[in-house]
Amino acid sequence: MADTMRGVYTNLTEIRRKVFGEVAKIAYEGGDDQAKKLDELPYKIIPGDVATYRESVFLERAIVGERIRLTLGLPLRGVDRPEQLSDGLAEAAKPETYYQPPLINIIKFACNACEDNVYRVTNMCQGCLAHPCREICPKGAISFVDKKAYIDQEKCIHCGQCARVCPYHAILHKERPCSSACGMKAIGSDEHGRAQIDYDKCVSCGQCLINCPFGAIADKSQIFQVIQAINAGEEVIAAVAPAFVGQFGGKGNVGKLREAFRQLGFSGVEEVALGADLCTIQEADDFLNEVPDKLPFMGTSCCPAWSVMAKKEFPKYTNCISMALTPMTLTARMIRTQRPNAKIVFVGPCAAKKLEAMRKSVRSEVDFVLTFEEMAGMMETKQIDYLSLADDNKSDFDVASADGRGFAVAGGVATAVVNAIHRRYPDREVNIVNSEGLENCRKMMRDAVRGKYPGYLLEGMACPGGCVAGAGTLQAINRSAAAVKRYAKRSPHVNATENAYRVLIPALTEEGGVDTVVEETFEAQRPVAEE
């Protein structure tokens, strides 16, 4: 399903941004009255006694209350017992606290219980003489009532043939938006028809939460914990993903980005495209050493949702997914070589990175993960106008290559790896195929194991469009992709092999790959059982 709402400032955008901003404000202010402020916050965000968005102002506040808890990293409250909004705050206020699984959550009473995979006849039906819908139905599910077509849902098998032959396009296929967007088919219905996530399938790509027009799905945040670390005087370093370009306005104004992070209390900023260069070199080496002699093909590793899906659903081919460390982890390890005591915050477009950071093998490297939207909420509470910030137009990340910066756009990872291979072996032929969206990635992987892509490099991206389409982005996907490509061209280096930090790869990767990545990922996503 296409993400039609990205880049459009909707009521949902406003509510999310208000929640992020207000929680950030309370965190920055500190004090002994944080619990009181949090308990009063739904009334500040939803004032008055008249509903604006839903049928009841009480329902609006209840939903906002749950969003506040998720922003604190706390679990949703049960509706069958009394519980304060601020319950659990003492634990959440500790800078080292990570969220309690699951990451992606459905606020049940916000769900519209949308119909899923149902065919309905609309008022466009003309009651034509041909009745092709009735004639083609294999189960006799279509009859005519008052000269209009009617579908018996008890007989319908959802084959869609009626919709395809209707000359007036009067038969509509109704799908639940979150379920349609889920490439893992992890969203079903509970006994009340509301959305329900199967956490044994979910890889936290976040496409469901950005496609739900009722705002019933949200992920947990670490805004509160990051600010606690800043307030405690910790050295907090931001590692910013390549997709940052244009997210807050402007055209890759790195000077403005540094100033924005400085005003938020961060001690420094580094670009994750640096780690993307090192990941590129690792994957190029792996491909040269293993394909096709040891492996029939190789898949890229940088998208955690894609790599986990591939390893879980095709376990016999787990070793065909590159064991190279992701750009996030490599960048964090590089920062730690110079600042061993720093708290490292990955700031990017991706919900699945929050899950990746929970793995035992990564947890010691990346302390916190924030999305661009969460950072925008922090900027609002500090009243930071990004475009008005000082920028000398000279300050730039001057290390990462154009190829490393291109990781943010679909096809960019494979292109970078191929370019790195060609720097060493100009005549080496490298066939590539890339897919966007988990459903397409699954098809690509299925074709690969059947032998369709012998000796190929496979690039998988869970989000259609690549990282610029991640669940935590702010801008329209096409605009973001164009901005990333323009910014990449500004790099003084074209290819990842020109990165001077490549000599550090052996030291940064000495622990090797992560064999337990799948189990660690799903364990980090499963809800904690109630006592």
Side-chain angles (χ1 to χ4, degrees):
M1 174 179 175
D3 176 14
T4 56
M5 295 190 291
R6 194 68 58 85
V8 180
Y9 194 90
T10 66
N11 290 332
L12 291 177
T13 309
E14 182 178 14
I15 291 171
R16 285 199 304 264
R17 206 71 58 78
K18 280 184 177 179
V19 170
F20 292 152
E22 292 295 338
V23 169
K25 183 178 181 181
I26 291 173
Y28 275 118
E29 290 175 347
D32 297 329
D33 59 346
Q34 286 184 328
K36 181 175 181 293
K37 289 179 179 178
L38 286 167
D39 288 330
E40 294 172 351
L41 195 49
Y43 294 86
K44 181 178 180 181
I45 295 174
I46 307 291
D49 58 0
V50 178
T52 304
Y53 311 107
R54 302 177 188 264
E55 62 272 21
S56 164
V57 70
F58 301 106
L59 178 59
E60 289 180 352
R61 288 188 184 126
I63 294 168
V64 165
E66 296 312 301
R67 284 191 163 275
I68 291 169
R69 285 187 63 81
L70 294 175
T71 302
L72 293 167
L74 295 172
L76 297 171
R77 291 175 292 181
V79 296
D80 57 346
R81 60 183 184 274
E83 190 174 359
Q84 288 286 96
L85 191 156
S86 58
D87 282 358
L89 179 62
E91 190 64 28
K94 298 176 181 178
E96 67 275 10
T97 296
Y98 219 75
Y99 64 79
Q100 186 181 93
L103 171 63
I104 308 292
N105 297 261
I106 295 176
I107 305 170
K108 292 289 188 175
F109 48 85
C111 179
N112 192 52
C114 304
E115 287 187 310
D116 192 24
N117 194 25
V118 173
Y119 286 86
R120 297 282 186 189
V121 180
T122 71
N123 58 9
M124 293 292 292
C125 178
Q126 303 297 301
C128 63
L129 296 180
H131 300 335
C133 56
R134 183 182 67 185
E135 304 307 325
I136 202 170
C137 179
K139 294 296 181 181
I142 298 180
S143 58
F144 280 78
V145 179
D146 296 330
K147 298 183 179 180
K148 302 289 185 181
Y150 171 78
I151 300 175
D152 184 341
Q153 298 299 327
E154 295 296 323
K155 296 180 179 179
C156 179
I157 59 172
H158 316 295
C159 66
Q161 294 190 60
C162 58
R164 285 191 288 272
V165 300
C166 176
Y168 294 101
H169 307 290
I171 300 178
L172 179 68
H173 183 208
K174 299 184 71 174
E175 294 181 278
R176 174 178 278 142
C178 58
S179 177
S180 177
C182 179
M184 296 300 294
K185 305 301 179 189
I187 299 182
S189 300
D190 65 13
E191 65 273 21
H192 303 294
R194 301 170 301 191
Q196 181 166 283
I197 298 174
D198 181 347
Y199 290 109
D200 286 328
K201 295 180 179 179
C202 177
V203 294
S204 299
C205 68
Q207 290 299 303
C208 58
L209 68 91
I210 56 176
N211 279 283
C212 174
F214 287 90
I217 309 178
D219 60 342
K220 289 175 179 168
S221 173
Q222 290 186 294
I223 288 177
F224 199 74
Q225 290 76 23
V226 169
I227 297 173
Q228 296 298 316
I230 291 171
N231 288 348
E234 299 273 8
E235 183 182 23
V236 183
I237 307 295
V240 185
F244 84 88
V245 190
Q247 291 295 323
F248 309 105
K251 298 179 180 180
N253 312 87
V254 177
K256 293 181 184 293
L257 189 75
R258 291 188 192 281
E259 178 60 18
F261 276 106
R262 188 192 68 78
Q263 291 189 23
L264 289 172
F266 287 81
S267 306
V269 187
E270 300 293 342
E271 70 169 332
V272 174
L274 174 62
D277 279 345
L278 305 190
C279 177
T280 296
I281 296 169
Q282 255 200 294
E283 293 198 340
D285 287 344
D286 289 348
F287 187 88
L288 289 168
N289 293 334
E290 298 183 351
V291 180
D293 296 337
K294 299 177 183 178
L295 299 175
F297 59 86
M298 191 182 86
T300 57
S301 66
C302 66
C303 173
W306 135 256
S307 64
V308 169
M309 181 277 289
K311 292 174 182 179
K312 181 177 177 64
E313 297 195 4
F314 302 89
K316 292 182 179 179
Y317 293 86
T318 294
N319 60 339
C320 290
I321 305 301
S322 172
M323 296 301 287
L325 295 173
T326 65
M328 177 181 79
T329 304
L330 284 164
T331 305
R333 289 189 177 186
M334 287 193 64
I335 294 172
R336 289 212 185 278
T337 62
Q338 301 173 18
R339 300 177 177 181
N341 298 318
K343 297 290 186 182
I344 298 174
V345 185
F346 175 82
V347 182
C350 184
K353 285 295 182 184
K354 296 180 179 182
L355 206 61
E356 179 187 340
M358 278 197 74
R359 298 175 192 160
K360 296 180 180 68
S361 51
V362 180
R363 187 71 182 93
S364 61
E365 313 294 343
V366 180
D367 298 282
F368 308 107
V369 175
L370 293 177
T371 66
F372 293 136
E373 187 173 33
E374 290 164 348
M375 182 185 165
M378 294 171 66
M379 289 169 63
E380 280 193 18
T381 200
K382 285 290 191 178
Q383 298 181 327
I384 297 172
D385 179 359
Y386 189 82
L387 292 180
S388 68
L389 294 174
D391 184 357
D392 58 13
N393 293 315
K394 296 179 182 178
S395 177
D396 194 5
F397 294 124
D398 59 358
V399 179
S401 72
D403 281 350
R405 290 175 176 176
F407 263 52
V409 180
V413 180
T415 297
V417 174
V418 171
N419 288 345
I421 291 172
H422 284 164
R423 279 295 179 96
R424 294 172 58 186
Y425 302 99
D427 298 326
R428 171 74 182 260
E429 182 181 358
V430 183
N431 294 314
I432 62 174
V433 60
N434 69 290
S435 286
E436 312 161 32
L438 287 171
E439 199 161 340
N440 292 329
C441 288
R442 180 183 294 105
K443 181 180 182 302
M444 175 180 69
M445 191 69 180
R446 190 180 294 124
D447 287 342
V449 301
R450 289 173 178 170
K452 185 176 179 179
Y453 302 122
Y456 274 59
L457 175 66
L458 278 56
E459 180 198 292
M461 287 286 189
C463 299
C467 300
V468 291
T473 55
L474 305 167
Q475 300 295 332
I477 298 167
N478 58 346
R479 288 183 58 190
S480 296
V484 167
K485 290 175 182 178
R486 286 195 303 269
Y487 181 63
K489 291 179 181 178
R490 285 170 40 183
S491 173
H493 311 298
V494 176
N495 190 274
T497 58
E498 299 173 45
N499 193 316
Y501 286 98
R502 66 185 183 278
V503 297
L504 296 178
I505 291 176
L508 296 175
T509 60
E510 60 184 10
E511 294 178 16
V514 185
D515 294 326
T516 58
V517 60
V518 173
E519 186 52 39
E520 285 186 0
T521 296
F522 284 94
E523 192 60 38
Q525 175 68 319
R526 294 186 186 103
V528 176
E530 294 186 7
E531 295 181 359

